[in-house]
Amino acid sequence: MYDVIIIGSGVIGAAVARELSKYDLKVAVLEKSSDAANGGSTKANSGIVHAGYDAKEGSLKAKLNVLGNKMYDELCSQMDVKFKRNGSLVIAFDDEEVKEVKKLYERGIKNGVEGLEIWDRERILKEEPNINKTVISALYAPTAGIVSPFEFAIALSEVANSNGVEFKFNTCVKNIYKENDIFVIETNNGIYNSKFIVNAAGIHSDEINDMLHGEKFKILPRRGEYCLYDKVCGDLVNMTIFQTPTEKGKGILVSPTIHGNMFVGPNAVDIDEREDVSTTQDGLDEVLQGAKKSVSSISSRNIITSFTGIRSRTDKDDFIINVPERGAVNAAGIESPGLSSSPAIAVMVLQLLKKEGLSLVKNNNFNPYRKNTKLFLEMNEEEREAALKTNPSYGRIICRCESITEGDIINAIKRPIGAKTIDGVKKRVRAGMGRCQGGFCMPRVLDILSRELGIPKEAVEKSDVGSFILTGKTK
Amino acid sequence: MSKTNITCINCPMGCPLEITMENDIISVIGNKCNKGKEYAIREITNPTRIVTSTVKVNGGERPVVAIKTQDEIPKKLIFDVMKEINKVTINAPVNLGDIVIENVLNTNVNVIATANDKVK
Amino acid sequence: MKRELVIIGGGPAGLAAAVEAHNNGINDILILERDKNLGGILQQCIHNGFGLHIFGEQLTGPEYSERFIKKVNELNIEYMLDTMVLNIDSSRKITALTPKTGVFEIEAGAVVLAMGCRERTRGALNIPGSRPSGILTAGAAQRFVNMEGYMVGKKVVILGSGDIGLIMARRMTLEGAEVKMVLEIMPYSTGLKRNIAQCLVDYDIPLYFNHTVVNIHGKNRLEGVTVAEVDEYRKPIAGTEKYVECDTLLLSVGLIPENELSKGAGIEISGITSGPVVDESMQTSVEGIFACGNVVHVHDLVDFVTQESYLAGKGAAKFIKGELSKSKKVISTLGENGIRYVVPQKINPDNVDDSVNFFMRVDNVYKNVFIEVLSEGKTVLKVKRPVVSPGEMENIKIKREILENINFNKLIFSLKEA
């Protein structure tokens, strides 16, 4: 019997799990995929911690974005996750857009965003010389930042796990009902009982809401495609460059990533199939064309990969954070600024659970820090020496592009919520994330996974069940 | 009479060769040099190839080691030779040049190791 | 530590450079190799066809490299395996990492860069579709099949007619897979004719020119690809799409010289070859740093890599001994009219022994042409070629005397109809 079961281990599920792990509770996270941060939204989004001027004043989105943004510094420093307040610009090229920028400025002030400024052309080009010279005006937000969304979510999961939260992967919720005030959760992996439930099922959160008999809403999945560039393009822009928003969202942005790459995207295409993370030629063309409006020198040269994320948009305007049924809390419809809001959403979910009767007794052993998170080449000399002594494989580079050693990969496998797949390694330590996209290191990572997990090479998978790489021995 | 079209591989020219067989008489057109003609005749009468693959190794550092037929074997025997190769397991250490299969399928050609493998 | 000559990479290029530097009087040589064996990519190239130019016989990849490994051992040339170079600076200080000692530094009298190249991947092509397993570069598949003894799939489509793709079509067939087709977006093959005949035609594997993959299907493991014909601008033609069921897509769509270290050292990189700009001695723009093999430009034959690496080894030896002339006279080479690039890009005739072998690649298939070498509008040399093709590197030897008599500082290589 669990006190709380969280459905979904995206960034929201992870943030809630970490928040709950501060208390003496028996908590489990059920995740249908093979890994944390593996769904269409957390695995593939812009990785922007927004300042908070976009959402309508008074909305949950506005409130939680500004609150969440402020929580990032401490959280990331505790968890040793790279986070940088690189600032953002919303740039305007004509009078209409200038009006929009002013509107955002005013809205930002109302939302409580600090440090907003309107910049003129000269100032913009001084700070960002590669922006198209026809720019007129921009909204500057110093509090906007960049983070790796899946590194952040995995770190939250690790902290939760180290503080006692269980994670059940490849566990898909099929049905939920109540028996004597206890939730019975049927999954493909057996039945779970829990006193409370948190619905953080992302693009499937409407299905879980239905099982909880909540007020109906519908997920209207919207695809966003991105192109990621080689690090040689990493300093094309310093800040995250937005265009003025349209009905379909914040538009196509150009931004550095926290690891020194550059990316452009996303577009916004409504789709029927919510699991469809494929990219399309039209979409990639649209993204490139769109990005050129901000920075004309952008081309398809130096693209190292492209990917698609799915936004958990709903037929409601705002995040859906409510109580669908006694003892259950929805954290649903979390589209942008969901990543930015996630720490604040977790706090709000906790308050709702408390209202529903969850008793919160402090876990005195709660430890917000993660251990041994440094990559070998980021260590100082002393740390390196110590690391090599415990494991000489720290001295062997496996991923050339990102300079990731065998020891780093073994660490990623052995950590709490460790990597079990090729993509799992990639998400945690970026082996295969660089310019050669695993062309060189994938066979070696496969070897290491097979050895460390004690499974045959044929059983090593790229990501979810069935994504095996090898089909058998030749001889 | 039978006609076969092949591309000459002797030089980058890649001449399209048309080979005609009539009453055991072979004629070649399309070749710009004598090498092309020789190649065409060989390809039509007795095409041969070197086969390269791997064999399983017991107790080596590697699970398989590279091998080749030391000389060309008839092209039509490629898959039969592969079957023979797939039957074999050799023991480490393996030295480059070691005979893996002697006189494979009575072709008078040996299958030999083309790489080394140490004992694990 | 201090070393006279450090060679980065123990593949065919690095090994040949080491041997030749030793032959030219340098004893203090260290080869740094990231893998657990010497031999580089040749270790996994178990097919034959190597060595016709250098040894006059057909060898497999491991046999070819073994000849050089043997020499390296006979000459007692030192090497470190399992060692990755992390950085080189313009003063030839090398930072490297190895499990036994961790991070260490070497001050090198001269350096030869021989890091080879890497394969272009799906990301670089930006092929749309889902992201299942079963899509890998031909080289990664080659490693699995030939070195590790594992199959990567049963029904295979190969995109790109590069040599590794063609070789893998045959390898996968011999090991029991069904290779359904090879697709080439260009109207001609980028691989060698010999490989098309002996890897595809021999096994009835169709090769479709002007075709590419436009979509990828399957959530977990690859289930199929959509292929389409392309127009002259390489854009897919609507209505020509066809679904092909397969569990494996191998990519053989080009190789990129691996020059991150070179860039770190501030070496000038050619935008066309993606490799360092080099001179007649294979010296880069940074004094004392030489380069050879696929790190300079992508070769189709290892024999030419070896030749080029001999030059680099000898050049480095001369540099160490102070015998490399730094005379002011430098001739720049340039490709024009269908010639995409020429290597070396700079010539100092004083450093040329007998002749310079210029390597070049054309940008399309041309029949019945002259490769004309011009200086100041005058023809220096003219060589007839019945056919030239982007898939087959051309080379032209020019004697030292001719180079010495060139007064102009530019040498232009150009195609002309015969």
Side-chain angles (χ1 to χ4, degrees):
Chain A
M1 166 77 70
Y2 290 92
D3 293 314
V4 185
I5 278 191
I6 301 164
I7 302 168
S9 76
V11 70
I12 303 301
V16 172
R18 177 188 168 280
E19 203 57 40
L20 288 175
S21 71
K22 293 178 179 169
Y23 303 92
D24 281 331
L25 294 168
K26 191 168 157 63
V27 180
V29 179
L30 308 185
E31 168 57 47
K32 76 179 171 59
S33 161
S34 63
D35 195 5
N38 214 26
S41 306
T42 299
K43 188 165 75 171
N45 70 71
S46 306
I48 309 295
V49 179
H50 295 282
Y53 49 73
D54 295 280
K56 228 192 286 167
E57 50 267 34
S59 64
L60 280 178
K61 281 183 181 175
K63 192 179 116 196
L64 295 170
N65 183 349
V66 175
L67 274 175
N69 178 301
K70 286 184 183 154
M71 295 163 81
Y72 260 82
D73 302 274
E74 192 190 4
L75 255 182
C76 287
S77 104
Q78 284 177 341
M79 303 195 301
D80 195 20
V81 170
K82 288 195 177 65
F83 168 63
K84 184 180 171 189
R85 294 200 186 270
N86 64 323
S88 71
L89 289 180
V90 184
I91 52 177
F93 290 96
D94 59 34
D95 293 347
E96 275 307 301
E97 292 179 353
V98 170
K99 270 187 218 156
E100 189 64 32
V101 159
K102 277 193 188 132
K103 208 171 99 190
L104 290 176
Y105 173 79
E106 281 154 20
R107 186 184 277 171
I109 303 280
K110 284 183 197 151
N111 288 351
V113 182
E114 288 164 14
L116 291 178
E117 292 173 23
I118 301 259
W119 282 5
D120 63 6
R121 180 172 178 273
E122 198 188 354
R123 180 71 196 273
I124 299 167
L125 293 176
K126 190 182 153 224
E127 306 288 341
E128 294 288 356
N130 293 318
I131 288 182
N132 288 346
K133 307 277 179 281
T134 52
V135 68
I136 303 174
S137 158
L139 172 64
Y140 165 64
T143 55
I146 45 179
V147 73
S148 158
F150 39 83
E151 281 176 25
F152 180 67
I154 288 170
L156 291 167
S157 307
E158 275 192 29
V159 172
N161 184 246
S162 305
N163 289 297
V165 175
E166 299 169 31
F167 281 74
K168 313 281 180 191
F169 294 110
N170 296 314
T171 301
C172 182
V173 173
K174 303 287 185 195
N175 190 26
I176 305 173
Y177 56 91
K178 255 189 178 171
E179 229 174 56
N180 305 326
D181 254 17
I182 299 295
F183 286 107
V184 181
I185 304 167
E186 293 178 351
T187 76
N188 61 323
N189 251 340
I191 290 173
Y192 292 85
N193 294 310
S194 180
K195 294 175 192 154
F196 296 86
I197 282 186
V198 175
N199 170 17
I203 48 176
H204 294 283
S205 53
D206 56 345
E207 295 164 6
I208 301 295
N209 178 60
D210 288 347
M211 294 178 201
L212 295 167
H213 318 291
E215 190 192 328
K216 289 264 177 205
F217 64 88
K218 204 171 163 19
I219 293 282
L220 306 170
R222 184 175 270 177
R223 159 199 287 156
E225 289 160 87
Y226 295 89
C227 294
L228 181 72
Y229 285 78
D230 193 292
K231 287 183 177 172
V232 297
C233 307
D235 47 14
L236 194 68
V237 292
N238 309 305
M239 286 182 262
T240 301
I241 313 298
F242 294 95
Q243 294 164 5
T244 50
T246 64
E247 252 173 47
K248 279 207 159 180
K250 296 185 189 75
I252 288 164
L253 59 94
V254 179
S255 179
T257 72
I258 192 67
H259 293 298
N261 298 82
M262 191 258 299
F263 78 96
V264 302
N267 60 351
V269 180
D270 295 333
I271 51 171
D272 302 327
E273 168 52 57
R274 46 182 102 191
E275 299 278 336
D276 182 8
V277 291
S278 51
T279 49
T280 63
Q281 193 60 55
D282 288 349
L284 299 174
D285 291 345
E286 183 191 346
V287 163
L288 282 182
Q289 281 313 315
K292 277 184 187 171
K293 190 185 161 193
S294 301
V295 180
S296 59
S297 61
I298 283 172
S299 73
S300 60
R301 203 180 148 88
N302 288 317
I303 289 179
I304 58 173
T305 191
S306 53
F307 57 91
T308 286
I310 310 290
R311 304 173 176 91
S312 298
R313 187 175 67 106
T314 66
D315 49 4
K316 312 278 184 242
D317 277 341
D318 209 352
F319 294 152
I320 299 167
I321 303 174
N322 60 18
V323 176
E325 178 177 2
R326 292 260 68 102
V329 174
N330 276 326
I334 312 292
E335 58 176 331
S336 180
L339 176 67
S340 322
S341 310
S342 56
I345 291 174
V347 173
M348 183 172 169
V349 166
L350 186 84
Q351 286 160 354
L352 287 175
L353 284 171
K354 201 174 158 190
K355 253 192 220 163
E356 286 306 299
L358 178 68
S359 60
L360 299 175
V361 179
K362 261 205 166 165
N363 169 3
N364 289 326
N365 298 322
F366 175 74
N367 179 1
Y369 299 96
R370 292 198 302 158
K371 273 185 253 162
N372 308 325
T373 47
K374 260 192 204 163
L375 296 173
F376 179 74
L377 286 173
E378 290 173 350
M379 297 175 187
N380 63 33
E381 236 167 88
E382 222 171 284
E383 293 168 324
R384 281 183 190 171
E385 223 165 278
L388 274 177
K389 235 176 235 164
T390 53
N391 189 354
S393 72
Y394 273 109
R396 182 175 299 123
I397 298 271
I398 299 295
C399 167
R400 299 179 284 181
C401 303
E402 298 291 318
S403 296
I404 308 302
T405 71
E406 185 168 350
D408 296 327
I409 293 171
I410 294 172
N411 184 15
I413 297 168
K414 300 265 153 122
R415 297 188 67 74
I417 316 289
K420 290 179 191 66
T421 62
I422 303 278
D423 281 1
V425 169
K426 182 172 162 180
K427 280 191 297 185
R428 284 164 180 81
V429 287
R430 303 202 322 284
M433 194 76 94
R435 51 177 65 92
C436 95
Q437 288 288 299
F440 174 78
C441 68
M442 188 272 276
R444 291 160 175 88
V445 172
L446 190 150
D447 265 7
I448 298 168
L449 278 165
S450 157
R451 187 187 69 212
E452 297 298 322
L453 298 174
I455 56 174
K457 288 189 189 185
E458 297 98 309
V460 176
E461 292 180 310
K462 177 177 181 282
S463 179
D464 276 325
V465 173
S467 62
F468 53 90
I469 311 276
L470 303 175
T471 56
K473 289 188 174 158
T474 55
K475 308 288 160 179
Chain B
M1 192 180 87
S2 73
K3 266 189 190 173
T4 313
N5 292 299
I6 62 169
T7 306
C8 183
I9 61 163
N10 282 301
C11 80
M13 270 297 280
C15 295
L17 307 177
E18 188 180 293
I19 313 161
T20 317
M21 272 264 270
E22 199 174 9
N23 303 328
D24 283 349
I25 297 167
I26 304 167
S27 51
V28 180
I29 55 170
N31 60 307
K32 292 204 169 72
C33 72
N34 215 23
K35 267 191 178 173
K37 191 174 174 182
E38 281 168 24
Y39 172 71
I41 293 171
R42 208 168 52 238
E43 279 297 287
I44 206 75
T45 52
N46 181 26
T48 57
R49 298 286 184 270
I50 295 228
V51 175
T52 62
S53 182
T54 60
V55 291
K56 207 171 163 180
V57 185
N58 260 339
E61 280 183 347
R62 298 174 182 179
V64 291
V65 71
I67 53 96
K68 71 173 183 184
T69 57
Q70 200 165 11
D71 212 332
E72 299 197 331
I73 55 134
K75 186 178 150 189
K76 59 175 190 282
L77 288 180
I78 290 176
F79 283 97
D80 295 322
V81 167
M82 275 305 296
K83 274 184 203 151
E84 296 304 308
I85 288 169
N86 288 342
K87 285 180 198 162
V88 178
T89 300
I90 56 176
N91 292 319
V94 182
N95 290 309
L96 196 153
D98 283 358
I99 294 176
V100 176
I101 306 174
E102 220 173 313
N103 184 17
V104 64
L105 295 177
N106 294 318
T107 52
N108 285 324
V109 174
N110 296 333
V111 174
I112 60 165
T114 55
N116 303 310
D117 194 11
K118 287 180 213 146
V119 176
K120 196 177 182 178
Chain C
M1 86 175 102
K2 274 188 180 176
R3 303 303 291 248
E4 265 190 333
L5 175 60
V6 176
I7 294 176
I8 302 175
L15 293 171
V19 167
E20 191 63 11
H22 194 278
N23 289 343
N24 282 274
I26 305 300
N27 293 314
D28 181 18
I29 304 175
L30 176 63
I31 304 173
L32 302 177
E33 166 56 41
R34 65 170 179 236
D35 214 332
K36 290 179 181 171
N37 298 286
L38 291 175
I41 203 70
L42 285 183
Q43 290 182 86
Q44 67 183 56
C45 300
I46 65 166
H47 55 282
N48 67 317
F50 301 91
L52 271 173
H53 292 76
I54 294 282
F55 297 112
E57 57 182 310
Q58 290 220 28
L59 302 171
T60 65
E63 289 174 314
Y64 188 96
S65 60
E66 187 58 28
R67 298 208 175 182
F68 287 91
I69 295 170
K70 230 175 157 180
K71 274 188 199 160
V72 162
N73 285 327
E74 281 165 11
L75 299 172
N76 281 321
I77 296 173
E78 198 185 330
Y79 54 86
M80 285 177 74
L81 301 173
D82 217 355
T83 304
M84 182 73 129
V85 174
L86 302 173
N87 189 54
I88 312 168
D89 70 15
S90 55
S91 68
R92 302 187 293 276
K93 193 173 81 189
I94 296 166
T95 312
L97 174 62
T98 194
K100 275 186 209 123
T101 50
V103 177
F104 65 99
E105 286 181 351
I106 312 172
E107 285 170 46
V111 174
V112 175
L113 305 175
M115 294 89 77
C117 57
R118 66 166 180 269
E119 295 176 280
R120 286 181 75 200
T121 57
R122 173 185 179 184
L125 300 176
N126 231 352
I127 308 173
S130 58
R131 264 130 191 82
S133 67
I135 303 168
L136 59 176
T137 60
Q142 190 178 43
R143 183 187 165 96
F144 276 127
V145 175
N146 292 348
M147 306 282 291
E148 303 190 12
Y150 283 91
M151 282 300 272
V152 295
K154 296 187 174 100
K155 287 180 187 169
V156 186
V157 169
I158 297 177
L159 176 60
S161 62
D163 286 311
I164 317 172
L166 301 176
I167 293 290
M168 282 313 290
R170 176 174 62 189
R171 277 299 291 141
M172 296 292 287
T173 307
L174 286 178
E175 299 299 339
E178 178 196 355
V179 179
K180 294 197 150 180
M181 59 184 71
V182 177
L183 307 165
E184 172 57 58
I185 196 166
M186 303 304 286
Y188 49 81
S189 169
T190 52
L192 296 172
K193 283 227 163 60
R194 181 177 72 197
N195 286 335
I196 292 176
Q198 298 198 344
C199 299
L200 302 187
V201 178
D202 273 4
Y203 300 92
D204 297 321
I205 299 166
L207 167 59
Y208 298 111
F209 291 118
N210 300 309
H211 274 74
T212 192
V213 171
V214 294
N215 209 346
I216 284 167
H217 310 273
K219 185 175 182 293
N220 295 317
R221 177 77 190 193
L222 181 67
E223 288 164 14
V225 295
T226 305
V227 306
E229 202 175 331
V230 298
D231 63 19
E232 55 190 311
Y233 305 106
R234 286 183 261 168
K235 291 274 171 240
I237 302 171
T240 62
E241 297 90 351
K242 228 171 49 186
Y243 180 81
V244 182
E245 190 203 331
C246 59
D247 66 1
T248 308
L249 176 66
L250 298 187
L251 303 174
S252 178
V253 287
L255 301 166
I256 307 165
E258 185 95 73
N259 275 295
E260 278 63 43
L261 288 175
S262 325
K263 285 174 195 161
I267 289 168
E268 185 191 345
I269 303 290
S270 154
I272 310 173
T273 58
S274 301
V277 169
V278 290
D279 66 14
E280 75 299 322
S281 312
M282 302 307 288
Q283 187 168 218
T284 68
S285 66
V286 174
E287 201 181 56
I289 302 187
F290 297 73
C292 54
N294 283 345
V295 80
V296 177
H297 59 134
V298 176
H299 296 64
D300 4 274
L301 297 177
V302 71
D303 301 71
F304 289 141
V305 168
T306 302
Q307 279 181 15
E308 205 177 85
S309 307
Y310 284 156
L311 277 181
K314 192 170 179 179
K318 278 184 175 174
F319 174 82
I320 293 164
K321 293 186 285 183
E323 292 169 7
L324 211 52
S325 148
K326 282 194 223 167
S327 97
K328 290 263 158 62
K329 180 173 175 180
V330 175
I331 306 169
S332 297
T333 64
L334 197 73
E336 262 183 21
N337 266 341
I339 296 197
R340 270 184 59 225
Y341 72 78
V342 182
V343 168
Q345 291 93 339
K346 289 182 164 56
I347 305 293
N348 174 354
D350 290 354
N351 290 325
V352 176
D353 284 342
D354 174 48
S355 61
V356 176
N357 200 5
F358 290 93
F359 294 107
M360 65 208 73
R361 253 180 222 282
V362 294
D363 63 5
N364 208 331
V365 178
Y366 300 95
K367 286 202 167 156
N368 249 336
V369 286
F370 283 113
I371 301 176
E372 204 175 15
V373 187
L374 300 141
S375 182
E376 237 183 337
K378 279 181 231 149
T379 304
V380 176
L381 196 74
K382 209 161 87 170
V383 199
K384 195 169 177 214
R385 290 282 189 269
V387 66
V388 290
S389 141
E392 321 226 358
M393 197 163 76
E394 294 292 331
N395 66 96
I396 288 180
K397 254 191 192 150
I398 302 182
K399 292 230 170 258
R400 174 180 169 139
E401 300 89 82
I402 298 178
L403 294 167
E404 275 172 339
N405 287 327
I406 291 171
N407 294 317
F408 199 55
N409 60 3
K410 269 209 180 91
L411 204 55
I412 292 169
F413 292 69
S414 166
L415 285 187
K416 205 177 151 191
E417 266 179 58

